[in-house]
Amino acid sequence: MDEIVRARARAADAVPGWWADVGRMALYASGSITLWTGILWVGTLGMLHHRASPIDPETIQPGIFAAAPVLAWPFLQLSTERRDRGFRAAGLPGLMVCTISAGAVIHLLGMLLWPMIMGDRAAPGTVAAELHRNPTAMLLTLAFLLAGMSWFTTIAQAMIFWPLSAGLIALVPFLAGIFVIPFAGLAVFQGVAATGTLALWGLLALSGMVAVWVVSHRVTRQRQAGAIR
């Protein structure tokens, strides 16, 4: 029995390599976009029901489905089986920037199928209808994904690793994001791919990537100082 306990302790202390963590998050991103693309497709076939009534395909908004992986991303990173909780002690800032970027690109590639799945149900001229053939719509969607995933991951790390008082403060934007991000996704996908909107989301994406780098660097320094594991 003692040997089993020691073996489990060694497994908890073991941390996969940096590239193994990149591969883990790329796999999760692939599974995430496959799931939401599948649900979108099933919905257009009239196979989704609510209280025994079929859901109108037009109410299955791609914007909400685009917001779902943004909200889920920090939880995909989290691992309760690892001592570092899935956020490695070494190379964390670079890992966050790399995996968020790769995850956003993987989701974008899957979303290129969404206009074809929606067909004429998507309003003409909107991002939902033009995503697969409009470069501005593609960049806007990528910026939305990068902004949401980076800022939500930043807040999640503050909640997990910072002192209790700071974690409670971070809880406020975390809860607000749960409500705001789906509406933001709707606004992006139901709107046109305007350069002004792209500039706004591009700024949010850039600031979010800087924020996740800074917070990840602070977490790393705290670990080096022995403040957290």
Side-chain angles (χ1 to χ4, degrees), residues 2 19 26 48 54 88 96 117 122 133 143 147 159 161 184 199 209 224:
D2 291 341
W19 284 107
L48 292 181
R88 61 188 305 110
M96 291 295 98
I117 293 174
R133 59 174 176 254
M159 292 174 57
F161 296 110
M209 296 299 275
Q224 292 172 349

Side-chain angles (χ1 to χ4, degrees), residues 24-46:
R24 175 172 69 100
M25 296 310 297
L27 181 63
Y28 288 165
S30 300
S32 170
I33 189 58
T34 300
L35 171 65
W36 293 109
T37 301
I39 293 175
L40 182 67
W41 176 70
V42 169
T44 60
L45 297 178

Side-chain angles (χ1 to χ4, degrees), residues 8-14 78-86:
R8 289 179 176 176
R10 288 194 297 270
D13 286 333
L78 185 66
S79 175
T80 57
E81 298 179 355
R82 286 170 47 167
R83 183 65 61 88
D84 62 4
R85 283 170 274 185

Side-chain angles (χ1 to χ4, degrees), residues 58-64 122-129 140 182-193:
E58 293 184 1
T59 65
I60 305 171
Q61 297 291 349
I64 295 178
T126 62
V127 171
L140 176 57
F183 288 103
L186 284 173
V188 168
F189 276 77
Q190 288 181 335
V192 298

Side-chain angles (χ1 to χ4, degrees), residues 121-202:
R121 298 182 182 92
T126 62
V127 171
E130 300 290 332
L131 179 58
H132 61 312
R133 59 174 176 254
N134 186 333
T136 304
M138 295 179 193
L139 290 174
L140 176 57
T141 302
L142 180 62
F144 167 75
L145 292 169
L146 287 171
M149 292 164 70
S150 58
W151 275 113
F152 216 59
T153 301
T154 299
I155 297 169
Q157 282 196 76
M159 292 174 57
I160 295 170
F161 296 110
W162 285 11
L164 179 60
S165 57
L168 291 176
I169 294 173
L171 181 62
V172 176
F174 183 85
L175 294 176
I178 293 176
F179 292 98
V180 170
I181 291 176
F183 288 103
L186 284 173
V188 168
F189 276 77
Q190 288 181 335
V192 298
T195 54
T197 307
L198 173 58
L200 172 62
W201 281 104

